[in-house]
Amino acid sequence: MSATISAEDRGFTLGDGVFDTALALGGVVFARDRHVARLVAAAQRIGIAIEAAAIEAAMAAAITAAPMILRTTVTRGTAARGLWPASVGAPTLIVATAPWSPSLLGQPARLITASGRRNEFSPTANLKTLGYLDHILAAREAALAGVDDALILNTQGRIACTTIANLFALIAGRLITPSLAEGCLPGIMRALVMEAAPRLGLAVEERPLAPAALAGADAVFLTNSVRFLRPVRSLDGVLLGDGGDIVRNLQDIVLNGAESAR
């Protein structure tokens, strides 16, 4: 499926929009309602009115039975000149697809610490906006270093996220992840892991997390909606704990949820 947008679309000219990435298996979008609700809420936060039904219809029109990644983008559309225009037209809604393979699941990741910082005080810190250049440059640093991803710290030097994922650390039997106040995104997989953890007897804490704490963690892993849970093997060349079966068991619970959703 192909789509075109105007050269004057504010998503193209100003990065004025938000997006979501989801996984479709067997023609069903995994955790669809959560993805749609988050995208609608993000659009509303920046003043774009979009109905959940419109997003659901666009997703349904894009998917087939083949496993695929859905990228759903909502922009303010075209408008009169000015950073905050006096009038705007209808928002632009586009769903793009790409093939997905189960081989993406569980691949260990090696990280470096990005040189840039995430501004946890920004009004867009918890939104998946189209202005992704900071993360793009951090991903470039990781590629040049020959590793898989980059850990991004906030302005206080604490962990926010990586370029494409939320982060968890298993420390003294507790599953710790940065709170949204630290500048991370409200990841769909992040929420599912937090809900699944008590089934394994794990208490979950959302709190500030210093990068130095990862060296003593029993396990460190990343979460996103395409790769699910991804164990972290090293940070800046320092090997990290693998956690035994904990990460695999958590992923099994989430995957079972994916199967039952089909």
Side-chain angles (χ1 to χ4, degrees):
M1 185 173 112
S2 62
T4 60
I5 64 168
S6 168
E8 296 179 350
D9 190 281
R10 287 173 63 94
F12 175 70
T13 60
L14 295 170
D16 187 0
V18 289
F19 75 99
D20 176 84
T21 305
L23 178 63
L25 299 170
V28 176
V29 180
F30 176 58
R32 187 200 68 174
D33 291 349
R34 295 180 190 241
H35 281 282
V36 172
R38 184 179 65 174
L39 186 56
V40 169
Q44 290 176 343
R45 283 276 300 275
I46 63 172
I48 298 176
I50 187 83
E51 296 292 331
I55 296 172
E56 291 168 359
M59 285 180 165
I63 62 176
T64 66
M68 62 177 59
I69 301 164
L70 303 181
R71 152 92 184 220
T72 305
T73 302
V74 177
T75 83
R76 205 176 304 277
T78 58
R81 287 185 58 82
L83 287 182
W84 190 252
S87 62
V88 296
T92 298
L93 170 60
I94 294 176
V95 178
T97 64
W100 179 84
S101 169
S103 64
L104 291 173
L105 296 177
Q107 290 183 354
R110 296 164 299 151
L111 307 181
I112 60 164
T113 303
S115 60
R117 294 291 180 267
R118 187 170 179 86
N119 180 9
E120 69 273 25
F121 302 109
S122 168
T124 64
N126 304 134
L127 305 178
K128 294 189 77 167
T129 66
L130 301 186
Y132 240 53
L133 190 56
D134 285 351
H135 283 213
I136 291 169
L137 294 179
R140 177 174 180 261
E141 285 187 73
L144 291 174
V147 298
D148 305 294
D149 201 353
L151 182 69
I152 300 177
L153 308 182
N154 63 21
T155 64
Q156 307 303 307
R158 300 190 296 256
I159 294 169
C161 54
T162 76
T163 66
I164 58 171
N166 290 104
L167 181 141
F168 286 83
L170 180 62
I171 299 175
R174 306 182 76 82
L175 201 56
I176 300 167
T177 192
S179 67
L180 299 185
E182 296 295 286
C184 65
L185 295 174
I188 304 300
M189 194 58 57
R190 173 183 183 270
L192 292 172
V193 166
M194 291 170 67
E195 293 168 13
R199 294 175 59 180
L200 295 178
L202 297 173
V204 180
E205 292 184 12
E206 295 180 83
R207 64 169 175 81
L209 187 60
L214 301 186
D218 295 311
V220 179
F221 62 93
L222 311 178
T223 61
N224 79 4
S225 292
V226 172
R227 295 177 179 271
F228 283 43
L229 279 64
R230 189 178 191 187
V232 177
R233 287 293 174 255
S234 65
L235 172 63
D236 297 324
V238 177
L239 294 179
L240 303 179
D242 64 13
D245 293 330
I246 291 293
V247 177
R248 286 187 292 275
N249 291 342
L250 276 171
Q251 178 148 284
D252 285 344
I253 293 173
V254 176
L255 281 170
N256 287 336
E259 289 296 324
S260 63
R262 292 173 61 179

